[in-house]
Amino acid sequence: MSLFERLAQIKQQREATAAGGPAPVASKVSSLRAEPERSPLLPASSLGGRECTAAGGCFCLREKKLKQSLQVPFSDTLIYRNLRLIWGIGPVTEARLKDQGIAVISELVCHPRFGADARQVLNLIERRQAAELRRRGATDAELLGLFSPEEIVFLDIETTGLWASQPLFLVGILTTREQEAVLGQLLARHYREERALLAYLAQALQQTKVMITFNGKRFDWPYIIDHNKLAAA
């Protein structure tokens, strides 16, 4: 029995108790199992999608190719102009260096004071070490320029509540395939489809390097992680 079936069972037991006495657990379980037969799921085709199988289950997947391609709006050279990524260089020192004609980090590799760390920063950029570059003060725009559109995913989720124990019924992802932007909607029509949806989402995210969300650090991503744990229990 899934977590959500158990929650539904508890709710029905409480309602039965309030109505005059608890109903047998067996009858409730039987009722829950019979529910799909009384209320069949809408075919994915009627929702503009297709049946998608993952982790031994299925869910409704709707995909649409957008007319415009997903263009990364930031240059891959932007980060090289941020001299403050080098330890010891602040706004005043950066302004002074630029007045001297030093515009990019590579022009400091032979500097007697900043040369060693300039080479370290260039190495971090070459290896796309976003976490360390972020710690040094790199902005989102500078870091995003290091990745191609195919490595970026836009993600949003829709749930029935703010806690991971509450159902997740829709995930939206925007990716790039063969230079075309593809909008995907992963729809769980029933509690039992969540596990397949989550498995498909995990596989899709493995193919990307950067996730862009709205409030994703505080809600979307923690929710997905915790919900995966509950779904696997």
Side-chain angles (χ1 to χ4, degrees):
M1 181 185 301
S2 72
L3 170 66
F4 304 110
E5 289 175 333
R6 177 57 180 158
L7 291 174
Q9 178 183 332
I10 293 173
K11 180 181 178 181
Q12 289 184 357
Q13 288 175 340
R14 288 177 177 175
E15 291 174 349
T17 301
V25 173
S27 66
K28 294 301 179 183
V29 174
S30 175
S31 175
L32 284 169
R33 290 176 178 172
E35 181 183 353
E37 297 180 2
R38 296 199 309 268
S39 302
L41 300 179
L42 287 173
S45 58
S46 69
L47 299 171
R50 61 182 174 86
E51 299 289 343
C52 187
T53 303
C58 66
F59 65 96
C60 175
L61 174 63
R62 298 189 295 188
E63 288 187 323
K64 179 181 180 181
K65 291 185 178 180
L66 305 183
K67 294 181 179 179
Q68 67 274 22
S69 61
L70 180 60
Q71 298 293 333
V72 178
F74 305 109
S75 168
D76 58 358
T77 63
L78 186 62
I79 195 169
Y80 291 96
R81 299 198 292 269
N82 187 352
L83 303 184
R84 281 179 281 177
L85 296 178
I86 300 171
W87 297 129
I89 297 181
V92 175
T93 303
E94 181 182 43
R96 177 169 52 82
L97 290 170
K98 289 190 174 182
D99 286 342
Q100 297 172 4
I102 299 174
V104 293
I105 295 172
S106 59
E107 294 174 344
L108 286 171
V109 294
C110 295
H111 193 278
R113 178 181 175 186
F114 303 120
D117 203 52
R119 292 190 292 273
Q120 174 66 16
V121 171
L122 290 174
N123 182 262
L124 292 173
I125 294 173
E126 180 69 22
R127 294 187 291 118
R128 302 196 300 183
Q129 297 296 305
E132 176 60 23
L133 290 167
R134 164 74 75 185
R135 191 168 70 89
R136 287 173 173 261
T139 65
D140 287 343
E142 291 167 345
L143 294 174
L144 192 59
L146 300 178
F147 300 90
S148 67
E150 288 76 16
E151 296 176 303
I152 299 172
V153 59
F154 292 81
L155 178 140
D156 188 35
I157 66 174
E158 298 296 338
T159 72
T160 59
L162 298 177
W163 310 107
S165 59
Q166 295 170 307
L168 166 71
F169 64 90
L170 181 65
V171 176
I173 54 176
L174 179 64
T175 57
T176 298
R177 300 178 195 165
E178 299 178 352
Q179 299 183 341
E180 287 187 316
V182 179
L183 176 63
Q185 291 182 313
L186 288 58
L187 175 64
R189 296 160 294 181
H190 189 275
Y191 302 135
R192 64 174 177 267
E193 294 192 340
E194 286 186 299
R195 182 172 295 182
L197 184 155
L198 290 168
Y200 180 92
L201 177 62
Q203 184 178 7
L205 294 181
Q206 284 180 353
Q207 303 173 18
T208 62
K209 300 290 185 182
V210 179
M211 180 190 302
I212 299 177
T213 65
F214 180 80
N215 197 32
K217 286 184 179 180
R218 295 180 179 271
F219 179 69
D220 297 60
W221 189 237
Y223 181 99
I224 290 172
I225 292 175
D226 292 341
H227 204 67
N228 261 300
K229 294 177 182 177
L230 291 173

